[in-house]
Amino acid sequence: MFRQATARLLSRSAAASPKARPFSTDLESAPAADQAFVDAWKKVAPNMDPPKTPLSFMKPRPPTPSSIPSKLIVNFSLPYASELSGKEVDMVIVPATTGQMGILPGHVPTIAELKPGLMTVHEGNDVQKYFVSSGFALVHANSFADIIAVEAVPVDRIDPTLVQKGLAEFTQKLNSASTELEKAEAQIGLDVHSALSSALSG
Amino acid sequence: MAMAALRREGKRFALTSPNPINVLRSSLAPSEERMSLGVRGISTQIVRNRMKSVKNIQKITKAMKMVAASKLRAIQVRAENSRGLWQPFTALLGDTPSVDVKKNVIVTISSDKGLCGGINSTSVKISRAMRRLTSGPDKESTYVILGEKAKAQLIRDSRNFIELSITELQKNFLNYTQVSVLADEILKNVEYDALRVVFNKFQSVVSFLPTTATILSPEVVEREAEAGGKLGDLDAYEIEGGETKSEILQNLAEFQFSCVMFNAVLENACSEQGARMSAMDSSSRNAGEMLDRLTLTYNRTRQASITTELIEIISGASALEG
């Protein structure tokens, strides 16, 4: 038992010396920029350890493959949860400001701003529908799609009667709005509710 | 601090207790005070008072530790869930802490309440070093401070460099709406080329890593993309929606700031609770040790006073006998 413990200690100390933390993932591309920062830091504050940067906490992404992969890897994150992380799917359709945009594996790298609308995730015959408020969709060259939204709900949790009520309320607010700000707010509410009702029907 | 004063008192007792002769002398000292009031014998009142106050402190710090542990459990879940939020931005725009810009704004996140170990001092030290790093002949950097503790420390020497300070962040339940409104306020009032958020990342209950996340303004992003390097392949990305690329980049930068802030605030709150837990744990352990030492002193004092009484009685009796 002691032999195992000492062997484990030795291996852990040997592994810990080159890396900062024993369980950090290996960083292939990160050290380049960090090294300049670390050097500049050492000049200013030689007695302090430099602070960590977000790149050291992230798993590195795979490089662009030469052939188009068969599946798209989707990360769908919200402030309160990561709905999908690293899920392999066939296709994702997101509500970009220019309309519904479909993302397939091998899609050209894109930065798309989203408007409130329906988002569908297709995996085989399985389709998951979410209603997203605005956000961003980033598609990378290595068939990774990151969708970041502020709020998203599965469509089956939306109450249709409340949607109708909201539509009526915001139409009435828009008609009675006086200042630009009120008009803009009422317009936004109306847009979101009409998107909700079309998501429920479509 | 009260704890430091008590620790000093405890040390004084610990120094006097090993030698028994000194104990009598030290225990005679309180009795000297009492002699003047006409009370005979050595009094254990003082030691008993100290023991009572140390026991109370031990109870209080134990309770604070339990409260911090329960708050940590609640907020740790939320912090871990929010970790996926900033990763897409770092995957797209990379991480460029060594970027060279004219206007740097250092956003320091700290706690409002104290008794949480050294995390606020660490954040302030890192912020000061970042400021030294990013200041130069034609570069300048200013602070935006979240939290009472960093404000108290930074206002002493960098009062002129503080642009905004925000306190009482955790009064209401932390949520994304609140943080995004805050981020909006900061972006409206502060001119920046690069925002550097300094916070303590929660790694485990005993380990908090000071971290800095960099967010570049859209103009700097375009400049760096043209220059090549980390952001060089940003041009390869097609822009969907919006009229111009700069508009999208503007929205992206603002969204990135609010996401990074949300995660940073949650992580810092977690680190605060974890540091408070370990600080209160060590202080209740200290109080326990002090109580043990005081108990020994108390017993010795009590026994010494009993012995003195016996000696008086016996010598009085033997004097009567002849």
Short mmCIF file of all heavy atoms in Angstrom, two decimals, chain A residues 148-195:
data_model
loop_
_atom_site.label_atom_id
_atom_site.label_comp_id
_atom_site.label_asym_id
_atom_site.label_seq_id
_atom_site.Cartn_x
_atom_site.Cartn_y
_atom_site.Cartn_z
N ILE A 148 -24.94 31.40 -28.28
CA ILE A 148 -25.07 31.98 -26.95
C ILE A 148 -26.33 32.82 -26.96
O ILE A 148 -26.46 33.72 -27.78
CB ILE A 148 -23.89 32.91 -26.62
CG1 ILE A 148 -22.58 32.28 -27.06
CG2 ILE A 148 -23.84 33.19 -25.15
CD1 ILE A 148 -21.79 33.17 -27.91
N ALA A 149 -27.23 32.54 -26.06
CA ALA A 149 -28.48 33.29 -26.00
C ALA A 149 -28.72 33.73 -24.56
O ALA A 149 -28.19 33.13 -23.63
CB ALA A 149 -29.65 32.44 -26.47
N VAL A 150 -29.52 34.76 -24.42
CA VAL A 150 -29.80 35.25 -23.08
C VAL A 150 -30.86 34.39 -22.41
O VAL A 150 -30.79 34.08 -21.23
CB VAL A 150 -30.23 36.73 -23.13
CG1 VAL A 150 -30.59 37.22 -21.77
CG2 VAL A 150 -29.12 37.56 -23.71
N GLU A 151 -31.89 34.02 -23.16
CA GLU A 151 -32.93 33.17 -22.60
C GLU A 151 -33.36 32.18 -23.67
O GLU A 151 -33.44 32.53 -24.84
CB GLU A 151 -34.17 34.00 -22.25
CG GLU A 151 -34.08 34.79 -20.97
CD GLU A 151 -34.37 33.95 -19.74
OE1 GLU A 151 -34.74 32.77 -19.87
OE2 GLU A 151 -34.22 34.50 -18.65
N ALA A 152 -33.63 30.98 -23.28
CA ALA A 152 -34.17 30.01 -24.24
C ALA A 152 -35.08 29.06 -23.50
O ALA A 152 -34.76 28.63 -22.40
CB ALA A 152 -33.04 29.23 -24.91
N VAL A 153 -36.21 28.75 -24.10
CA VAL A 153 -37.11 27.77 -23.50
C VAL A 153 -37.49 26.75 -24.56
O VAL A 153 -37.67 27.11 -25.72
CB VAL A 153 -38.39 28.42 -22.94
CG1 VAL A 153 -38.12 29.08 -21.63
CG2 VAL A 153 -38.97 29.41 -23.91
N PRO A 154 -37.67 25.50 -24.18
CA PRO A 154 -38.24 24.54 -25.12
C PRO A 154 -39.66 24.97 -25.46
O PRO A 154 -40.39 25.45 -24.60
CB PRO A 154 -38.23 23.22 -24.36
CG PRO A 154 -37.29 23.42 -23.24
CD PRO A 154 -37.31 24.87 -22.91
N VAL A 155 -40.03 24.77 -26.73
CA VAL A 155 -41.27 25.36 -27.22
C VAL A 155 -42.48 24.80 -26.50
O VAL A 155 -43.49 25.47 -26.32
CB VAL A 155 -41.34 25.14 -28.75
CG1 VAL A 155 -42.75 25.24 -29.24
CG2 VAL A 155 -40.47 26.15 -29.44
N ASP A 156 -42.39 23.54 -26.02
CA ASP A 156 -43.57 22.98 -25.40
C ASP A 156 -43.85 23.56 -24.02
O ASP A 156 -44.86 23.21 -23.40
CB ASP A 156 -43.46 21.45 -25.33
CG ASP A 156 -42.10 21.02 -24.83
OD1 ASP A 156 -41.35 21.89 -24.33
OD2 ASP A 156 -41.77 19.83 -24.96
N ARG A 157 -42.96 24.44 -23.53
CA ARG A 157 -43.24 25.02 -22.23
C ARG A 157 -43.84 26.41 -22.36
O ARG A 157 -44.00 27.09 -21.36
CB ARG A 157 -41.94 25.10 -21.41
CG ARG A 157 -41.49 23.71 -21.03
CD ARG A 157 -40.27 23.69 -20.21
NE ARG A 157 -40.34 24.65 -19.13
CZ ARG A 157 -39.30 24.96 -18.38
NH1 ARG A 157 -38.15 24.37 -18.61
NH2 ARG A 157 -39.40 25.84 -17.42
N ILE A 158 -44.17 26.83 -23.59
CA ILE A 158 -44.72 28.17 -23.75
C ILE A 158 -46.24 28.06 -23.70
O ILE A 158 -46.84 27.18 -24.32
CB ILE A 158 -44.27 28.78 -25.10
CG1 ILE A 158 -42.75 28.82 -25.14
CG2 ILE A 158 -44.81 30.18 -25.26
CD1 ILE A 158 -42.21 29.36 -26.42
N ASP A 159 -46.84 28.99 -22.99
CA ASP A 159 -48.29 29.00 -22.82
C ASP A 159 -48.93 29.86 -23.92
O ASP A 159 -48.68 31.06 -23.97
CB ASP A 159 -48.61 29.58 -21.45
CG ASP A 159 -50.07 29.49 -21.09
OD1 ASP A 159 -50.85 29.08 -21.96
OD2 ASP A 159 -50.41 29.83 -19.96
N PRO A 160 -49.75 29.28 -24.82
CA PRO A 160 -50.29 30.08 -25.94
C PRO A 160 -51.20 31.21 -25.50
O PRO A 160 -51.19 32.27 -26.12
CB PRO A 160 -51.08 29.04 -26.77
CG PRO A 160 -50.63 27.71 -26.29
CD PRO A 160 -50.17 27.88 -24.89
N THR A 161 -51.96 31.00 -24.41
CA THR A 161 -52.88 32.07 -24.01
C THR A 161 -52.11 33.30 -23.56
O THR A 161 -52.49 34.43 -23.86
CB THR A 161 -53.78 31.59 -22.85
OG1 THR A 161 -52.96 30.91 -21.91
CG2 THR A 161 -54.86 30.67 -23.35
N LEU A 162 -51.00 33.07 -22.85
CA LEU A 162 -50.20 34.21 -22.42
C LEU A 162 -49.58 34.93 -23.61
O LEU A 162 -49.43 36.16 -23.60
CB LEU A 162 -49.08 33.75 -21.47
CG LEU A 162 -49.52 33.41 -20.05
CD1 LEU A 162 -48.34 32.89 -19.26
CD2 LEU A 162 -50.10 34.62 -19.36
N VAL A 163 -49.24 34.17 -24.64
CA VAL A 163 -48.67 34.79 -25.84
C VAL A 163 -49.70 35.72 -26.49
O VAL A 163 -49.40 36.86 -26.86
CB VAL A 163 -48.21 33.71 -26.84
CG1 VAL A 163 -47.80 34.34 -28.15
CG2 VAL A 163 -47.07 32.92 -26.26
N GLN A 164 -50.95 35.24 -26.58
CA GLN A 164 -52.01 36.07 -27.19
C GLN A 164 -52.23 37.32 -26.37
O GLN A 164 -52.37 38.42 -26.91
CB GLN A 164 -53.31 35.27 -27.27
CG GLN A 164 -53.26 34.10 -28.22
CD GLN A 164 -52.91 34.54 -29.62
OE1 GLN A 164 -53.32 35.61 -30.09
NE2 GLN A 164 -52.14 33.75 -30.31
N LYS A 165 -52.24 37.12 -25.03
CA LYS A 165 -52.46 38.28 -24.15
C LYS A 165 -51.34 39.29 -24.34
O LYS A 165 -51.58 40.49 -24.44
CB LYS A 165 -52.47 37.79 -22.69
CG LYS A 165 -53.71 38.19 -21.99
CD LYS A 165 -53.83 37.87 -20.53
CE LYS A 165 -52.65 37.37 -19.81
NZ LYS A 165 -52.92 37.18 -18.40
N GLY A 166 -50.09 38.80 -24.42
CA GLY A 166 -48.96 39.69 -24.59
C GLY A 166 -49.04 40.45 -25.91
O GLY A 166 -48.74 41.65 -25.98
N LEU A 167 -49.45 39.74 -26.97
CA LEU A 167 -49.58 40.38 -28.28
C LEU A 167 -50.55 41.55 -28.19
O LEU A 167 -50.26 42.67 -28.63
CB LEU A 167 -50.11 39.37 -29.30
CG LEU A 167 -49.11 38.74 -30.25
CD1 LEU A 167 -49.80 37.74 -31.14
CD2 LEU A 167 -48.45 39.82 -31.09
N ALA A 168 -51.72 41.28 -27.59
CA ALA A 168 -52.74 42.33 -27.49
C ALA A 168 -52.22 43.50 -26.67
O ALA A 168 -52.38 44.67 -27.04
CB ALA A 168 -54.02 41.75 -26.87
N GLU A 169 -51.55 43.16 -25.56
CA GLU A 169 -51.07 44.20 -24.65
C GLU A 169 -50.06 45.10 -25.35
O GLU A 169 -50.13 46.33 -25.25
CB GLU A 169 -50.43 43.49 -23.45
CG GLU A 169 -50.01 44.39 -22.31
CD GLU A 169 -49.21 43.59 -21.29
OE1 GLU A 169 -49.53 42.40 -21.09
OE2 GLU A 169 -48.26 44.15 -20.74
N PHE A 170 -49.12 44.48 -26.08
CA PHE A 170 -48.08 45.31 -26.68
C PHE A 170 -48.58 46.08 -27.89
O PHE A 170 -48.10 47.18 -28.17
CB PHE A 170 -46.85 44.46 -27.04
CG PHE A 170 -45.96 44.24 -25.86
CD1 PHE A 170 -45.99 43.06 -25.16
CD2 PHE A 170 -45.12 45.25 -25.42
CE1 PHE A 170 -45.18 42.87 -24.07
CE2 PHE A 170 -44.31 45.07 -24.32
CZ PHE A 170 -44.34 43.88 -23.64
N THR A 171 -49.58 45.52 -28.62
CA THR A 171 -50.16 46.30 -29.72
C THR A 171 -50.81 47.55 -29.17
O THR A 171 -50.67 48.65 -29.71
CB THR A 171 -51.23 45.47 -30.45
OG1 THR A 171 -50.92 44.10 -30.35
CG2 THR A 171 -51.35 45.87 -31.90
N GLN A 172 -51.51 47.37 -28.04
CA GLN A 172 -52.18 48.50 -27.44
C GLN A 172 -51.16 49.52 -26.92
O GLN A 172 -51.33 50.73 -27.06
CB GLN A 172 -53.06 47.96 -26.30
CG GLN A 172 -54.03 48.95 -25.74
CD GLN A 172 -53.68 49.29 -24.31
OE1 GLN A 172 -53.00 48.54 -23.63
NE2 GLN A 172 -54.14 50.42 -23.85
N LYS A 173 -50.05 49.01 -26.35
CA LYS A 173 -49.02 49.93 -25.85
C LYS A 173 -48.39 50.70 -26.99
O LYS A 173 -48.07 51.89 -26.85
CB LYS A 173 -47.92 49.13 -25.13
CG LYS A 173 -48.11 49.03 -23.66
CD LYS A 173 -46.82 48.67 -22.97
CE LYS A 173 -47.16 48.06 -21.63
NZ LYS A 173 -46.17 47.22 -21.07
N LEU A 174 -48.19 50.02 -28.12
CA LEU A 174 -47.55 50.69 -29.25
C LEU A 174 -48.43 51.82 -29.75
O LEU A 174 -47.96 52.90 -30.09
CB LEU A 174 -47.28 49.67 -30.35
CG LEU A 174 -46.53 50.19 -31.58
CD1 LEU A 174 -45.17 50.71 -31.18
CD2 LEU A 174 -46.39 49.11 -32.62
N ASN A 175 -49.75 51.56 -29.77
CA ASN A 175 -50.66 52.60 -30.26
C ASN A 175 -50.71 53.79 -29.33
O ASN A 175 -50.89 54.92 -29.75
CB ASN A 175 -52.06 52.02 -30.45
CG ASN A 175 -52.09 51.02 -31.57
OD1 ASN A 175 -51.26 51.06 -32.47
ND2 ASN A 175 -53.03 50.07 -31.51
N SER A 176 -50.55 53.52 -28.03
CA SER A 176 -50.68 54.63 -27.10
C SER A 176 -49.34 55.19 -26.69
O SER A 176 -49.24 56.01 -25.79
CB SER A 176 -51.43 54.15 -25.84
OG SER A 176 -50.62 53.21 -25.16
N ALA A 177 -48.24 54.75 -27.34
CA ALA A 177 -46.91 55.22 -26.91
C ALA A 177 -46.70 56.66 -27.36
O ALA A 177 -47.10 57.05 -28.45
CB ALA A 177 -45.84 54.32 -27.49
N SER A 178 -46.04 57.43 -26.50
CA SER A 178 -45.82 58.84 -26.84
C SER A 178 -44.35 59.11 -27.14
O SER A 178 -44.01 59.70 -28.15
CB SER A 178 -46.29 59.73 -25.69
OG SER A 178 -45.83 59.18 -24.47
N THR A 179 -43.45 58.66 -26.25
CA THR A 179 -42.05 58.97 -26.48
C THR A 179 -41.39 57.89 -27.34
O THR A 179 -41.93 56.80 -27.50
CB THR A 179 -41.29 59.04 -25.14
OG1 THR A 179 -41.30 57.73 -24.56
CG2 THR A 179 -41.94 60.02 -24.21
N GLU A 180 -40.24 58.21 -27.87
CA GLU A 180 -39.49 57.26 -28.70
C GLU A 180 -39.17 56.00 -27.94
O GLU A 180 -39.24 54.89 -28.44
CB GLU A 180 -38.19 57.92 -29.19
CG GLU A 180 -38.35 58.89 -30.34
CD GLU A 180 -38.81 58.19 -31.60
OE1 GLU A 180 -38.38 57.04 -31.84
OE2 GLU A 180 -39.60 58.79 -32.34
N LEU A 181 -38.77 56.22 -26.65
CA LEU A 181 -38.36 55.07 -25.83
C LEU A 181 -39.52 54.10 -25.66
O LEU A 181 -39.39 52.90 -25.81
CB LEU A 181 -37.85 55.58 -24.47
CG LEU A 181 -37.30 54.50 -23.55
CD1 LEU A 181 -36.06 53.87 -24.14
CD2 LEU A 181 -36.97 55.09 -22.19
N GLU A 182 -40.70 54.68 -25.34
CA GLU A 182 -41.88 53.82 -25.14
C GLU A 182 -42.23 53.09 -26.42
O GLU A 182 -42.59 51.90 -26.41
CB GLU A 182 -43.07 54.67 -24.69
CG GLU A 182 -43.07 54.99 -23.22
CD GLU A 182 -44.27 55.83 -22.84
OE1 GLU A 182 -45.34 55.64 -23.43
OE2 GLU A 182 -44.10 56.70 -21.98
N LYS A 183 -42.10 53.82 -27.53
CA LYS A 183 -42.43 53.18 -28.82
C LYS A 183 -41.47 52.03 -29.09
O LYS A 183 -41.88 50.95 -29.52
CB LYS A 183 -42.30 54.21 -29.96
CG LYS A 183 -43.61 54.69 -30.48
CD LYS A 183 -43.44 55.48 -31.75
CE LYS A 183 -44.38 56.67 -31.60
NZ LYS A 183 -44.10 57.84 -32.29
N ALA A 184 -40.18 52.28 -28.81
CA ALA A 184 -39.19 51.23 -29.07
C ALA A 184 -39.46 50.02 -28.19
O ALA A 184 -39.41 48.87 -28.65
CB ALA A 184 -37.78 51.77 -28.84
N GLU A 185 -39.78 50.29 -26.91
CA GLU A 185 -40.02 49.16 -25.99
C GLU A 185 -41.24 48.37 -26.44
O GLU A 185 -41.24 47.14 -26.44
CB GLU A 185 -40.24 49.69 -24.57
CG GLU A 185 -38.96 50.13 -23.91
CD GLU A 185 -39.20 50.65 -22.50
OE1 GLU A 185 -40.35 50.57 -22.03
OE2 GLU A 185 -38.25 51.13 -21.90
N ALA A 186 -42.32 49.10 -26.83
CA ALA A 186 -43.52 48.41 -27.26
C ALA A 186 -43.26 47.61 -28.53
O ALA A 186 -43.76 46.49 -28.70
CB ALA A 186 -44.65 49.41 -27.47
N GLN A 187 -42.45 48.19 -29.42
CA GLN A 187 -42.13 47.48 -30.66
C GLN A 187 -41.38 46.20 -30.39
O GLN A 187 -41.64 45.15 -30.97
CB GLN A 187 -41.29 48.41 -31.57
CG GLN A 187 -41.03 47.86 -32.95
CD GLN A 187 -42.29 47.75 -33.75
OE1 GLN A 187 -43.12 48.66 -33.75
NE2 GLN A 187 -42.46 46.63 -34.42
N ILE A 188 -40.42 46.28 -29.46
CA ILE A 188 -39.64 45.08 -29.11
C ILE A 188 -40.56 44.01 -28.55
O ILE A 188 -40.49 42.83 -28.92
CB ILE A 188 -38.52 45.42 -28.09
CG1 ILE A 188 -37.47 46.31 -28.73
CG2 ILE A 188 -37.87 44.16 -27.58
CD1 ILE A 188 -36.46 46.83 -27.74
N GLY A 189 -41.46 44.43 -27.62
CA GLY A 189 -42.38 43.46 -27.03
C GLY A 189 -43.23 42.80 -28.09
O GLY A 189 -43.46 41.59 -28.07
N LEU A 190 -43.70 43.65 -29.05
CA LEU A 190 -44.55 43.12 -30.11
C LEU A 190 -43.79 42.12 -30.97
O LEU A 190 -44.30 41.05 -31.31
CB LEU A 190 -45.05 44.28 -30.96
CG LEU A 190 -46.18 43.95 -31.91
CD1 LEU A 190 -47.37 43.49 -31.11
CD2 LEU A 190 -46.55 45.17 -32.72
N ASP A 191 -42.53 42.46 -31.29
CA ASP A 191 -41.72 41.55 -32.12
C ASP A 191 -41.55 40.21 -31.44
O ASP A 191 -41.70 39.15 -32.05
CB ASP A 191 -40.32 42.16 -32.36
CG ASP A 191 -40.38 43.29 -33.37
OD1 ASP A 191 -41.36 43.35 -34.13
OD2 ASP A 191 -39.45 44.11 -33.38
N VAL A 192 -41.21 40.27 -30.14
CA VAL A 192 -40.95 39.02 -29.41
C VAL A 192 -42.22 38.17 -29.37
O VAL A 192 -42.18 36.96 -29.62
CB VAL A 192 -40.46 39.32 -27.99
CG1 VAL A 192 -40.40 38.06 -27.16
CG2 VAL A 192 -39.10 39.97 -28.03
N HIS A 193 -43.37 38.82 -29.10
CA HIS A 193 -44.59 38.03 -28.98
C HIS A 193 -45.05 37.47 -30.31
O HIS A 193 -45.56 36.35 -30.37
CB HIS A 193 -45.69 38.86 -28.31
CG HIS A 193 -45.54 38.90 -26.84
ND1 HIS A 193 -44.76 39.80 -26.19
CD2 HIS A 193 -46.04 38.09 -25.88
CE1 HIS A 193 -44.79 39.58 -24.90
NE2 HIS A 193 -45.56 38.54 -24.68
N SER A 194 -44.84 38.25 -31.39
CA SER A 194 -45.25 37.68 -32.69
C SER A 194 -44.33 36.55 -33.08
O SER A 194 -44.78 35.55 -33.66
CB SER A 194 -45.30 38.76 -33.77
OG SER A 194 -44.18 39.58 -33.69
N ALA A 195 -43.03 36.67 -32.71
CA ALA A 195 -42.12 35.55 -32.97
C ALA A 195 -42.54 34.33 -32.16
O ALA A 195 -42.49 33.19 -32.65
CB ALA A 195 -40.68 35.94 -32.64
#
